[in-house]
Amino acid sequence: MSKKDWKFDINEHIRYHLKKPRLKDLSWTLVSAAGCRLTIYFMSKLVGVLRWNDIKLPRLRWSTAAEDVCFKSRWESAFMALGKVLPVTRGAGVMQRSMDFCVKELMEGKWVHMFPEGKINLEQKPIRLKWGVGRLIVEPSVTPLVLLIHHVGFEKVFPNGGPLFPRLGQKTSIYFSEKLDFTKEVEQMRSLMKTPDEMRKIMTDVIQAEMAVLKLRAEQFHKQYWTTAEEDKNR
């Protein structure tokens, strides 16, 4: 079987999920973003903090992943499709079909999760974020709320490059930002007649700064929490 025979069909993928029940409550829409530190899909770590209703397919977030990494075979494509993950092509820019679809879903009150670094950040150093996250915030007619997420310690549970089984007993933390509402900032950019490219870049820069602050807070929280836990344990 040739690669062409099993290559991911985004049209079929979208049609499959459009058959699912739609959300009735469109009073909110959400973009969440997290740094990508692991080969293991980070959102699986959030199962422990979400309600059961929030991980059912009709409410589950949409997300994106690199086509050349996560959609290399029929099995991988099917696995990603079942988890509502869309392929993005590296170097194809922010105006891809997958990103168009994410914008449309946000305009219908859905949740889209992004990894705006665009790759696995093994060294955990600052990386220029991709403008796609800026597009998802500034383009919808109703500006979505933004929730930023930073996790600490999961690279010890599933070390990159090692066998894919969890190392138990590791200290981990997931740290969330407050809900961020950029409605005023987006309206101001529109009133100043900023171009779409300018708006995407400005908002991406804002998210980059917010994520840097969140990273520091998460690391401080992680250190303080586990230090206190060890002290309490030894008393």
Side-chain angles (χ1 to χ4, degrees):
M1 182 178 292
S2 68
K3 182 174 181 179
K4 183 179 179 180
D5 293 328
W6 53 253
K7 187 170 178 60
F8 182 83
D9 185 347
I10 187 173
N11 295 304
E12 182 179 347
H13 178 23
I14 291 174
R15 283 196 299 270
Y16 169 79
H17 284 290
L18 288 180
K19 294 177 183 178
K20 299 293 181 180
R22 312 296 282 177
L23 278 177
K24 294 181 180 179
D25 179 9
L26 303 183
S27 61
W28 64 273
T29 183
L30 176 68
V31 172
S32 60
C36 191
R37 306 285 184 264
L38 308 169
T39 53
I40 293 294
Y41 186 39
F42 165 65
M43 286 302 290
S44 63
K45 313 301 185 297
L46 293 183
V47 172
V49 298
L50 293 174
R51 298 173 302 176
W52 173 249
N53 285 339
D54 293 328
I55 59 176
K56 293 181 180 179
L57 273 180
R59 293 183 63 90
L60 185 64
R61 90 288 168 271
W62 285 92
S63 191
T64 59
E67 183 180 28
D68 60 326
V69 175
C70 299
F71 295 84
K72 296 184 295 183
S73 68
R74 170 178 286 181
W75 183 89
E76 289 174 327
S77 296
F79 180 78
M80 290 293 166
L82 289 173
K84 296 176 69 173
V85 179
L86 298 165
V88 290
T89 303
R90 297 178 191 269
V94 299
M95 306 307 292
Q96 301 184 43
R97 180 117 194 270
S98 296
M99 295 300 294
D100 294 343
F101 183 77
C102 286
V103 170
K104 176 179 175 293
E105 290 297 282
L106 287 169
M107 293 179 69
E108 294 187 7
K110 299 303 180 66
W111 170 22
V112 175
H113 180 79
M114 293 293 292
F115 297 96
E117 290 173 329
K119 67 177 184 178
I120 298 172
N121 187 356
L122 294 175
E123 297 180 351
Q124 301 189 31
K125 294 181 179 179
I127 294 179
R128 183 75 175 86
L129 301 187
K130 303 298 183 181
W131 287 11
V133 67
R135 181 188 176 192
L136 294 185
I137 298 170
V138 303
E139 190 166 317
S141 54
V142 177
T143 303
L145 296 174
V146 178
L147 183 70
L148 304 180
I149 307 167
H150 189 84
H151 59 90
V152 183
F154 283 101
E155 68 280 357
K156 296 179 180 178
V157 179
F158 285 100
N160 287 300
L164 295 181
F165 66 87
R167 280 60 167 180
L168 303 179
Q170 304 299 323
K171 298 178 176 63
T172 61
S173 301
I174 301 177
Y175 196 87
F176 298 84
S177 72
E178 298 292 330
K179 289 184 292 185
L180 305 175
D181 187 349
F182 295 108
T183 301
K184 292 182 179 179
E185 288 81 355
V186 172
E187 289 177 350
Q188 182 179 27
M189 286 189 284
R190 288 171 178 162
S191 67
L192 294 173
M193 303 296 288
K194 297 290 185 181
T195 66
D197 277 351
E198 289 174 326
M199 292 177 66
R200 289 192 285 266
K201 180 184 184 303
I202 291 170
M203 186 52 61
T204 301
D205 289 344
V206 171
I207 297 300
Q208 178 119 35
E210 292 284 350
M211 291 190 73
V213 172
L214 187 71
K215 179 178 183 294
L216 292 177
R217 291 177 178 172
E219 291 171 346
Q220 292 170 358
F221 169 83
H222 180 79
K223 181 178 180 180
Q224 181 179 356
Y225 177 86
W226 287 108
T227 298
T228 303
E230 285 294 330
E231 291 175 349
D232 291 344
K233 181 179 178 180
N234 294 328
R235 285 177 182 171

